[in-house]
Amino acid sequence: MYWDRSTETMERDTLESLQLERLKKTVEAASRSEFYKDRFSSNNFDPAGISSLDDIRRIPFTTKDDLRESWPYGCVAVPKDRLVRLHSSSGTTGRATVIFHTAHDLDAWTDILARAMYMTGMRESDVFQNMMTYGLFTGGLGFHYAAERIGALTIPAGAGNSKRQIQLMKDFDTTVIHIIPSYALHLTEVFEEVGVDPRKDTSLRIAFLGAEPHSEKTRQKIQEYYGVDAFNSYGLSEMNGPGVAFECPEKQGMHIWEDNYFVEIIDPDTLEPVREGDEGELVLTTLRREGMPILRYRTKDLTRFVPGPCSCGRTHRRISRITGRTDDMLILKGVNIFPIQIEKKLMEIPGVGNNFLIILEREGYNDLMIVRVEVLREFFSGNLKQLEQLRRKITEELRSDILITPRVELVEPNTLPKTEGKAVRVIDNRKD
Ligand code: AMP
Ligand code: ZN
């Protein structure tokens, strides 16, 4: 039942000593990177001065902007020839943040993700179909190598191509899938279309749902339709990717592997820790990464600690389902999108007016982004062809930037609602 019993069930004080030992090493390693060297000296922080876990609070936070500004190699703490792979965050908000790994880092990541998958009941006899994008995104290769480490037959199916996904499931008796929850809902329509009932016609038994927020209701729908046991998988590329926190069979929160990550939950305004059990922003520190250690990373994800020990016997603390973000990042079909990206792109296109609105809808099982754009009055003078050309141009420009095809609707100037103060740019009507 355990992949690594002694680590997973380690007494808290032993676990904390291990964390302290690894934190000291991590801080020392970080000080060899250009970025942290500067950060430490400008904050008068002595990297040798960590003598308790509480001392972590003397280290300044790291943000996504810090990573962007130190792009590409500013946070790398080892000679470049020791790096063997890079990954980046999904979405294309400006310059994607890039994370570099040594062979040791990849090995440790694979191990904790295998630990998580094993925890849910996956074994070497399983057939694992990974329905995530392979490439820079961490959900592809990350899960792939972890599944192989468990010894399961691993199908690198990649994302999309729904009919082929179903065919693969049937042909090779797939038992475990890794899938984006919104895609899992969409795929139910394709199952209907091809007349395959996953409960009767496939051997599916476990699903890992990750990469985007989803509700308990969505999990239940997926469990019911597919006839699987579905587990929430949380991660972010800055902290390797998947494997950071994962549900055990109790499904009362996700265990964070604290031998690999130091966890804090802070009030995003005061930056002080919240009271145990209160909601706040998750802040993570890598404890085992040598290529690119990251200290006190502000994930912007909101969650809380689930109090008390878990009845599964694992001692690593749990966090609740992610309830939102402190910034305005949207996640659509697993792709991260910031409204500012859309604004920037729109404003570059001649003919676009002053206001726009993003509306997210769920159509059947599909998530849809509608971008309603005010355009100059002259486009409404009767030449419909010109208007349609502009609509196509906007659609194409946005698609190439955010990687998702929005439904673009053009409206006359001054027709979109105006708000006093901060503009409301996004209306999210996606409900379960
Ligand atoms: P990326 O770095 O591109 O993998 O994106 C990471 C972000 O995706 C996280 O910071 C979360 O906002 C979101 N995310 C990933 N997994 C989950 C999950 N299981 N539940 C909610 N949000 C998630
Ligand atoms: Zn548990």
PDB file of all heavy atoms in Angstrom, residues 89-90 137-138 209-214 232-238 299 301 322 325 329 331 336, ligand 1:
ATOM      1  N   SER A  89       5.889  26.661 -17.883  1.00  0.00           N
ATOM      2  CA  SER A  89       4.492  26.708 -17.476  1.00  0.00           C
ATOM      3  C   SER A  89       3.613  26.724 -18.723  1.00  0.00           C
ATOM      4  O   SER A  89       4.041  27.144 -19.795  1.00  0.00           O
ATOM      5  CB  SER A  89       4.246  27.952 -16.637  1.00  0.00           C
ATOM      6  OG  SER A  89       4.716  29.083 -17.321  1.00  0.00           O
ATOM      7  N   SER A  90       2.361  26.269 -18.562  1.00  0.00           N
ATOM      8  CA  SER A  90       1.442  26.294 -19.692  1.00  0.00           C
ATOM      9  C   SER A  90       0.955  27.713 -19.901  1.00  0.00           C
ATOM     10  O   SER A  90       1.052  28.547 -19.020  1.00  0.00           O
ATOM     11  CB  SER A  90       0.281  25.351 -19.431  1.00  0.00           C
ATOM     12  OG  SER A  90      -0.352  25.666 -18.216  1.00  0.00           O
ATOM     13  N   PHE A 137       5.047  21.241 -21.355  1.00  0.00           N
ATOM     14  CA  PHE A 137       4.132  21.069 -20.226  1.00  0.00           C
ATOM     15  C   PHE A 137       4.552  19.846 -19.402  1.00  0.00           C
ATOM     16  O   PHE A 137       4.907  18.801 -19.936  1.00  0.00           O
ATOM     17  CB  PHE A 137       2.703  20.905 -20.773  1.00  0.00           C
ATOM     18  CG  PHE A 137       1.682  20.646 -19.706  1.00  0.00           C
ATOM     19  CD1 PHE A 137       1.550  21.498 -18.625  1.00  0.00           C
ATOM     20  CD2 PHE A 137       0.849  19.540 -19.787  1.00  0.00           C
ATOM     21  CE1 PHE A 137       0.614  21.256 -17.640  1.00  0.00           C
ATOM     22  CE2 PHE A 137      -0.098  19.285 -18.798  1.00  0.00           C
ATOM     23  CZ  PHE A 137      -0.215  20.141 -17.726  1.00  0.00           C
ATOM     24  N   THR A 138       4.467  20.001 -18.086  1.00  0.00           N
ATOM     25  CA  THR A 138       5.007  18.961 -17.190  1.00  0.00           C
ATOM     26  C   THR A 138       4.107  17.730 -17.039  1.00  0.00           C
ATOM     27  O   THR A 138       4.575  16.689 -16.592  1.00  0.00           O
ATOM     28  CB  THR A 138       5.190  19.556 -15.786  1.00  0.00           C
ATOM     29  OG1 THR A 138       3.936  20.104 -15.370  1.00  0.00           O
ATOM     30  CG2 THR A 138       6.234  20.658 -15.787  1.00  0.00           C
ATOM     31  N   LEU A 209      -7.044  13.423 -12.071  1.00  0.00           N
ATOM     32  CA  LEU A 209      -7.575  14.679 -12.611  1.00  0.00           C
ATOM     33  C   LEU A 209      -6.670  15.810 -12.161  1.00  0.00           C
ATOM     34  O   LEU A 209      -6.486  16.021 -10.963  1.00  0.00           O
ATOM     35  CB  LEU A 209      -8.992  14.929 -12.076  1.00  0.00           C
ATOM     36  CG  LEU A 209     -10.008  13.806 -12.291  1.00  0.00           C
ATOM     37  CD1 LEU A 209     -11.352  14.208 -11.682  1.00  0.00           C
ATOM     38  CD2 LEU A 209     -10.169  13.497 -13.777  1.00  0.00           C
ATOM     39  N   GLY A 210      -6.094  16.523 -13.125  1.00  0.00           N
ATOM     40  CA  GLY A 210      -5.170  17.570 -12.713  1.00  0.00           C
ATOM     41  C   GLY A 210      -5.092  18.720 -13.679  1.00  0.00           C
ATOM     42  O   GLY A 210      -5.813  18.758 -14.675  1.00  0.00           O
ATOM     43  N   ALA A 211      -4.235  19.649 -13.347  1.00  0.00           N
ATOM     44  CA  ALA A 211      -3.861  20.812 -14.171  1.00  0.00           C
ATOM     45  C   ALA A 211      -4.831  21.984 -14.099  1.00  0.00           C
ATOM     46  O   ALA A 211      -4.490  23.081 -14.515  1.00  0.00           O
ATOM     47  CB  ALA A 211      -3.644  20.442 -15.642  1.00  0.00           C
ATOM     48  N   GLU A 212      -6.030  21.765 -13.591  1.00  0.00           N
ATOM     49  CA  GLU A 212      -6.949  22.902 -13.492  1.00  0.00           C
ATOM     50  C   GLU A 212      -7.909  22.698 -12.321  1.00  0.00           C
ATOM     51  O   GLU A 212      -8.139  21.570 -11.886  1.00  0.00           O
ATOM     52  CB  GLU A 212      -7.721  23.088 -14.797  1.00  0.00           C
ATOM     53  CG  GLU A 212      -8.690  21.956 -15.094  1.00  0.00           C
ATOM     54  CD  GLU A 212      -9.421  22.114 -16.418  1.00  0.00           C
ATOM     55  OE1 GLU A 212      -9.075  22.999 -17.212  1.00  0.00           O
ATOM     56  OE2 GLU A 212     -10.347  21.321 -16.644  1.00  0.00           O
ATOM     57  N   PRO A 213      -8.476  23.807 -11.817  1.00  0.00           N
ATOM     58  CA  PRO A 213      -9.403  23.676 -10.698  1.00  0.00           C
ATOM     59  C   PRO A 213     -10.664  22.935 -11.135  1.00  0.00           C
ATOM     60  O   PRO A 213     -11.099  23.067 -12.283  1.00  0.00           O
ATOM     61  CB  PRO A 213      -9.760  25.120 -10.353  1.00  0.00           C
ATOM     62  CG  PRO A 213      -8.972  26.001 -11.231  1.00  0.00           C
ATOM     63  CD  PRO A 213      -8.297  25.194 -12.258  1.00  0.00           C
ATOM     64  N   HIS A 214     -11.203  22.165 -10.266  1.00  0.00           N
ATOM     65  CA  HIS A 214     -12.473  21.492 -10.547  1.00  0.00           C
ATOM     66  C   HIS A 214     -13.127  21.205  -9.211  1.00  0.00           C
ATOM     67  O   HIS A 214     -12.477  21.182  -8.176  1.00  0.00           O
ATOM     68  CB  HIS A 214     -12.258  20.221 -11.360  1.00  0.00           C
ATOM     69  CG  HIS A 214     -11.299  19.247 -10.737  1.00  0.00           C
ATOM     70  ND1 HIS A 214      -9.941  19.461 -10.706  1.00  0.00           N
ATOM     71  CD2 HIS A 214     -11.510  18.067 -10.110  1.00  0.00           C
ATOM     72  CE1 HIS A 214      -9.359  18.453 -10.094  1.00  0.00           C
ATOM     73  NE2 HIS A 214     -10.270  17.601  -9.709  1.00  0.00           N
ATOM     74  N   ASN A 232      -7.602  13.781  -7.234  1.00  0.00           N
ATOM     75  CA  ASN A 232      -7.155  15.134  -7.543  1.00  0.00           C
ATOM     76  C   ASN A 232      -5.630  15.216  -7.472  1.00  0.00           C
ATOM     77  O   ASN A 232      -5.021  14.794  -6.492  1.00  0.00           O
ATOM     78  CB  ASN A 232      -7.801  16.093  -6.531  1.00  0.00           C
ATOM     79  CG  ASN A 232      -7.671  17.552  -6.917  1.00  0.00           C
ATOM     80  OD1 ASN A 232      -7.064  17.895  -7.937  1.00  0.00           O
ATOM     81  ND2 ASN A 232      -8.258  18.426  -6.116  1.00  0.00           N
ATOM     82  N   SER A 233      -5.037  15.767  -8.514  1.00  0.00           N
ATOM     83  CA  SER A 233      -3.583  15.879  -8.601  1.00  0.00           C
ATOM     84  C   SER A 233      -3.205  17.337  -8.801  1.00  0.00           C
ATOM     85  O   SER A 233      -3.641  17.965  -9.756  1.00  0.00           O
ATOM     86  CB  SER A 233      -3.112  15.038  -9.793  1.00  0.00           C
ATOM     87  OG  SER A 233      -1.926  15.554 -10.350  1.00  0.00           O
ATOM     88  N   TYR A 234      -2.404  17.864  -7.877  1.00  0.00           N
ATOM     89  CA  TYR A 234      -2.039  19.283  -7.941  1.00  0.00           C
ATOM     90  C   TYR A 234      -0.535  19.453  -8.122  1.00  0.00           C
ATOM     91  O   TYR A 234       0.261  18.739  -7.491  1.00  0.00           O
ATOM     92  CB  TYR A 234      -2.469  19.992  -6.645  1.00  0.00           C
ATOM     93  CG  TYR A 234      -1.886  21.382  -6.498  1.00  0.00           C
ATOM     94  CD1 TYR A 234      -2.463  22.465  -7.155  1.00  0.00           C
ATOM     95  CD2 TYR A 234      -0.755  21.610  -5.719  1.00  0.00           C
ATOM     96  CE1 TYR A 234      -1.923  23.745  -7.037  1.00  0.00           C
ATOM     97  CE2 TYR A 234      -0.211  22.888  -5.594  1.00  0.00           C
ATOM     98  CZ  TYR A 234      -0.798  23.946  -6.251  1.00  0.00           C
ATOM     99  OH  TYR A 234      -0.268  25.207  -6.142  1.00  0.00           O
ATOM    100  N   GLY A 235      -0.189  20.395  -8.954  1.00  0.00           N
ATOM    101  CA  GLY A 235       1.230  20.720  -9.094  1.00  0.00           C
ATOM    102  C   GLY A 235       1.393  21.960  -9.936  1.00  0.00           C
ATOM    103  O   GLY A 235       0.431  22.472 -10.500  1.00  0.00           O
ATOM    104  N   LEU A 236       2.606  22.450 -10.016  1.00  0.00           N
ATOM    105  CA  LEU A 236       2.902  23.599 -10.863  1.00  0.00           C
ATOM    106  C   LEU A 236       4.331  23.461 -11.342  1.00  0.00           C
ATOM    107  O   LEU A 236       5.177  22.881 -10.637  1.00  0.00           O
ATOM    108  CB  LEU A 236       2.687  24.915 -10.106  1.00  0.00           C
ATOM    109  CG  LEU A 236       3.465  25.184  -8.846  1.00  0.00           C
ATOM    110  CD1 LEU A 236       3.448  26.673  -8.541  1.00  0.00           C
ATOM    111  CD2 LEU A 236       2.865  24.453  -7.657  1.00  0.00           C
ATOM    112  N   SER A 237       4.568  23.954 -12.548  1.00  0.00           N
ATOM    113  CA  SER A 237       5.872  23.713 -13.164  1.00  0.00           C
ATOM    114  C   SER A 237       7.017  24.241 -12.303  1.00  0.00           C
ATOM    115  O   SER A 237       8.078  23.619 -12.227  1.00  0.00           O
ATOM    116  CB  SER A 237       5.915  24.348 -14.544  1.00  0.00           C
ATOM    117  OG  SER A 237       5.499  25.694 -14.466  1.00  0.00           O
ATOM    118  N   GLU A 238       6.787  25.371 -11.609  1.00  0.00           N
ATOM    119  CA  GLU A 238       7.865  25.952 -10.802  1.00  0.00           C
ATOM    120  C   GLU A 238       8.327  24.988  -9.701  1.00  0.00           C
ATOM    121  O   GLU A 238       9.441  25.078  -9.209  1.00  0.00           O
ATOM    122  CB  GLU A 238       7.409  27.271 -10.160  1.00  0.00           C
ATOM    123  CG  GLU A 238       7.139  28.379 -11.159  1.00  0.00           C
ATOM    124  CD  GLU A 238       5.739  28.330 -11.769  1.00  0.00           C
ATOM    125  OE1 GLU A 238       5.032  27.302 -11.579  1.00  0.00           O
ATOM    126  OE2 GLU A 238       5.358  29.295 -12.448  1.00  0.00           O
ATOM    127  N   THR A 299       2.646  30.800  -4.930  1.00  0.00           N
ATOM    128  CA  THR A 299       1.951  30.102  -6.021  1.00  0.00           C
ATOM    129  C   THR A 299       0.736  30.871  -6.518  1.00  0.00           C
ATOM    130  O   THR A 299       0.246  30.597  -7.599  1.00  0.00           O
ATOM    131  CB  THR A 299       1.436  28.725  -5.562  1.00  0.00           C
ATOM    132  OG1 THR A 299       0.430  28.931  -4.556  1.00  0.00           O
ATOM    133  CG2 THR A 299       2.547  27.859  -5.003  1.00  0.00           C
ATOM    134  N   ASP A 301      -2.061  30.333  -5.519  1.00  0.00           N
ATOM    135  CA  ASP A 301      -3.188  29.414  -5.364  1.00  0.00           C
ATOM    136  C   ASP A 301      -3.701  29.476  -3.932  1.00  0.00           C
ATOM    137  O   ASP A 301      -2.920  29.501  -2.980  1.00  0.00           O
ATOM    138  CB  ASP A 301      -2.743  27.971  -5.679  1.00  0.00           C
ATOM    139  CG  ASP A 301      -2.502  27.777  -7.164  1.00  0.00           C
ATOM    140  OD1 ASP A 301      -3.288  28.301  -7.972  1.00  0.00           O
ATOM    141  OD2 ASP A 301      -1.505  27.093  -7.515  1.00  0.00           O
ATOM    142  N   ILE A 322      -7.920  23.303  -4.387  1.00  0.00           N
ATOM    143  CA  ILE A 322      -7.614  24.716  -4.636  1.00  0.00           C
ATOM    144  C   ILE A 322      -8.929  25.458  -4.907  1.00  0.00           C
ATOM    145  O   ILE A 322      -9.716  25.042  -5.746  1.00  0.00           O
ATOM    146  CB  ILE A 322      -6.679  24.873  -5.868  1.00  0.00           C
ATOM    147  CG1 ILE A 322      -5.404  24.032  -5.712  1.00  0.00           C
ATOM    148  CG2 ILE A 322      -6.356  26.342  -6.146  1.00  0.00           C
ATOM    149  CD1 ILE A 322      -4.491  24.422  -4.585  1.00  0.00           C
ATOM    150  N   ARG A 325      -7.567  31.752  -7.071  1.00  0.00           N
ATOM    151  CA  ARG A 325      -6.235  32.338  -7.150  1.00  0.00           C
ATOM    152  C   ARG A 325      -6.281  33.774  -6.656  1.00  0.00           C
ATOM    153  O   ARG A 325      -7.325  34.403  -6.640  1.00  0.00           O
ATOM    154  CB  ARG A 325      -5.721  32.291  -8.591  1.00  0.00           C
ATOM    155  CG  ARG A 325      -5.444  30.873  -9.047  1.00  0.00           C
ATOM    156  CD  ARG A 325      -4.727  30.807 -10.369  1.00  0.00           C
ATOM    157  NE  ARG A 325      -3.598  31.691 -10.515  1.00  0.00           N
ATOM    158  CZ  ARG A 325      -2.315  31.358 -10.292  1.00  0.00           C
ATOM    159  NH1 ARG A 325      -2.014  30.152  -9.878  1.00  0.00           N
ATOM    160  NH2 ARG A 325      -1.357  32.224 -10.497  1.00  0.00           N
ATOM    161  N   MET A 329      -5.658  35.058 -13.079  1.00  0.00           N
ATOM    162  CA  MET A 329      -5.367  34.027 -14.078  1.00  0.00           C
ATOM    163  C   MET A 329      -6.572  33.105 -14.274  1.00  0.00           C
ATOM    164  O   MET A 329      -7.180  32.657 -13.321  1.00  0.00           O
ATOM    165  CB  MET A 329      -4.152  33.204 -13.644  1.00  0.00           C
ATOM    166  CG  MET A 329      -3.702  32.201 -14.684  1.00  0.00           C
ATOM    167  SD  MET A 329      -2.205  31.314 -14.180  1.00  0.00           S
ATOM    168  CE  MET A 329      -2.934  29.904 -13.344  1.00  0.00           C
ATOM    169  N   ILE A 331      -8.048  29.550 -16.013  1.00  0.00           N
ATOM    170  CA  ILE A 331      -7.558  28.291 -16.562  1.00  0.00           C
ATOM    171  C   ILE A 331      -8.670  27.710 -17.421  1.00  0.00           C
ATOM    172  O   ILE A 331      -9.766  27.450 -16.947  1.00  0.00           O
ATOM    173  CB  ILE A 331      -7.126  27.326 -15.456  1.00  0.00           C
ATOM    174  CG1 ILE A 331      -6.093  28.002 -14.555  1.00  0.00           C
ATOM    175  CG2 ILE A 331      -6.531  26.049 -16.060  1.00  0.00           C
ATOM    176  CD1 ILE A 331      -5.462  27.119 -13.531  1.00  0.00           C
ATOM    177  N   ASN A 336      -3.258  28.195 -18.984  1.00  0.00           N
ATOM    178  CA  ASN A 336      -3.319  29.395 -18.148  1.00  0.00           C
ATOM    179  C   ASN A 336      -3.417  30.642 -19.023  1.00  0.00           C
ATOM    180  O   ASN A 336      -2.614  30.825 -19.921  1.00  0.00           O
ATOM    181  CB  ASN A 336      -2.049  29.522 -17.297  1.00  0.00           C
ATOM    182  CG  ASN A 336      -1.811  28.294 -16.447  1.00  0.00           C
ATOM    183  OD1 ASN A 336      -2.697  27.461 -16.301  1.00  0.00           O
ATOM    184  ND2 ASN A 336      -0.618  28.181 -15.891  1.00  0.00           N
TER     185      ASN A 336
HETATM  186  P1  AMP B   1       1.498  25.007 -14.754  1.00  0.00           P
HETATM  187  O1  AMP B   1       2.696  25.585 -14.097  1.00  0.00           O
HETATM  188  O2  AMP B   1       1.317  25.451 -16.139  1.00  0.00           O
HETATM  189  O3  AMP B   1       1.460  23.524 -14.614  1.00  0.00           O
HETATM  190  O4  AMP B   1       0.200  25.570 -13.985  1.00  0.00           O
HETATM  191  C1  AMP B   1       0.077  25.386 -12.592  1.00  0.00           C
HETATM  192  C2  AMP B   1      -1.220  25.957 -12.080  1.00  0.00           C
HETATM  193  O5  AMP B   1      -2.330  25.153 -12.513  1.00  0.00           O
HETATM  194  C3  AMP B   1      -1.297  25.923 -10.570  1.00  0.00           C
HETATM  195  O6  AMP B   1      -0.625  27.020  -9.992  1.00  0.00           O
HETATM  196  C4  AMP B   1      -2.791  25.939 -10.335  1.00  0.00           C
HETATM  197  O7  AMP B   1      -3.310  27.255 -10.426  1.00  0.00           O
HETATM  198  C5  AMP B   1      -3.327  25.118 -11.501  1.00  0.00           C
HETATM  199  N1  AMP B   1      -3.565  23.715 -11.084  1.00  0.00           N
HETATM  200  C6  AMP B   1      -2.810  22.634 -11.333  1.00  0.00           C
HETATM  201  N2  AMP B   1      -3.361  21.518 -10.809  1.00  0.00           N
HETATM  202  C7  AMP B   1      -4.508  21.894 -10.186  1.00  0.00           C
HETATM  203  C8  AMP B   1      -5.529  21.218  -9.439  1.00  0.00           C
HETATM  204  N3  AMP B   1      -5.507  19.910  -9.229  1.00  0.00           N
HETATM  205  N4  AMP B   1      -6.530  21.977  -8.936  1.00  0.00           N
HETATM  206  C9  AMP B   1      -6.570  23.313  -9.142  1.00  0.00           C
HETATM  207  N5  AMP B   1      -5.652  24.002  -9.845  1.00  0.00           N
HETATM  208  C10 AMP B   1      -4.628  23.310 -10.365  1.00  0.00           C
END
